[in-house]
Amino acid sequence: MCCVPCFTIFFLAVRNRCESELWVLPAFTQWDYGSHGILQWVKLIDNFDAEYDYVTNEGTVFTFKTNRHAPSYRLINIDFSDPEECKWKVLVPEHGRDVLEWVACVRSNFLVLCYLHDVKNVLQLHDLATGAHLKTLPLDVGSIVGYSGQKKDTEIFYQFTSFLSPARSNDSEKYLQSKS
C-alpha cells in the first residue's frame, strides 16, 4: 500500500499480489471530513483485476502503467475529473511482443520506457503529451540494473550490465536534448 501526494490530489493504491485498487482523495482545498471527521476517499478502481503503477501527472490527468487488457503492459491516461473507464485514453499501446518493465518521466515532457526484448533491455524515449516514440537509446545485449532521473531532471543516468561487460553507469543527457 502506498499513498502519494500529487499536487492537489492524493491517491492510494492498495495491492493484492500484483493487482491494485485505486482510491482518490480530492483537492486539498476541497477536503471533506464528513460528519465523523474522516476524509472522504473516492474509489476509482474497485477490484483487483489488474496492476496500476503511477508514472506521472499533468494536472488531473494521471499516467499509469497497467496490464488491464494488456498482459505485456501499456500506458494509459486517466483524467481524475472524469474517471469513468470508458474515457481512459491509451497513451502508449501494448507492444506486440516486448514486455514493458518500467517507465519514468524526465525533463517534464519525456517518458523513458524500459522493455524486455528477447533477452535484453531496450530503452525508448517517448513524448509525454502524445505517447509518440521519439528514439531508442543504443544498448548492447544486457540489462538495465539501475536508473536515476525524475520529471524535474534534464538528464538521466542508468546502469547497464551484461555477461560481457561489468556494470557501468551511462549519462544520456545527449539523447534528451532534441526529439530527433
Side-chain angles (χ1 to χ4, degrees), residues 31-161:
W31 280 3
D32 177 10
Y33 288 93
S35 59
H36 301 291
I38 299 173
L39 292 173
Q40 301 299 306
W41 289 85
V42 177
K43 192 182 278 192
L44 180 67
I45 298 163
D46 63 355
N47 52 35
F48 291 104
D49 64 348
E51 184 177 335
Y52 298 88
D53 291 331
Y54 170 79
V55 176
T56 189
N57 69 291
E58 292 291 317
T60 61
V61 178
F62 284 67
T63 303
F64 292 93
K65 180 187 106 166
T66 184
N67 60 352
R68 173 119 172 116
H69 305 302
S72 295
Y73 296 90
R74 64 182 177 174
L75 295 181
I76 60 169
N77 282 341
I78 301 174
D79 188 339
F80 279 15
S81 65
D82 192 10
E84 293 179 46
E85 185 174 353
C86 63
K87 297 188 179 170
W88 297 358
K89 304 232 183 308
V90 175
L91 181 63
V92 177
E94 178 182 25
H95 192 278
R97 66 181 262 193
D98 298 345
V99 176
L100 181 58
E101 290 192 330
W102 55 264
V103 182
C105 184
V106 67
R107 217 186 90 181
S108 298
N109 59 339
F110 291 132
L111 293 170
V112 178
L113 281 66
C114 181
Y115 284 97
L116 179 61
H117 173 76
D118 296 330
V119 295
K120 67 176 263 178
N121 282 136
V122 175
L123 281 182
Q124 293 183 353
L125 195 63
H126 288 251
D127 183 75
L128 174 60
T130 66
H133 177 255
L134 303 174
K135 62 180 73 173
T136 300
L137 280 66
L139 295 175
D140 294 327
V141 174
S143 300
I144 302 296
V145 293
Y147 172 83
S148 175
Q150 298 178 12
K151 191 171 187 174
K152 64 182 178 170
D153 297 333
T154 58
E155 62 185 338
I156 64 171
F157 296 90
Y158 60 91
Q159 190 171 21
F160 177 83
T161 190

Side-chain angles (χ1 to χ4, degrees), residues 3-11 25-28 54-60 62 64 80:
C3 187
V4 181
C6 297
F7 301 104
T8 59
I9 296 176
F10 268 98
F11 68 89
L25 185 62
F28 296 148
Y54 170 79
V55 176
T56 189
N57 69 291
E58 292 291 317
T60 61
F62 284 67
F64 292 93
F80 279 15

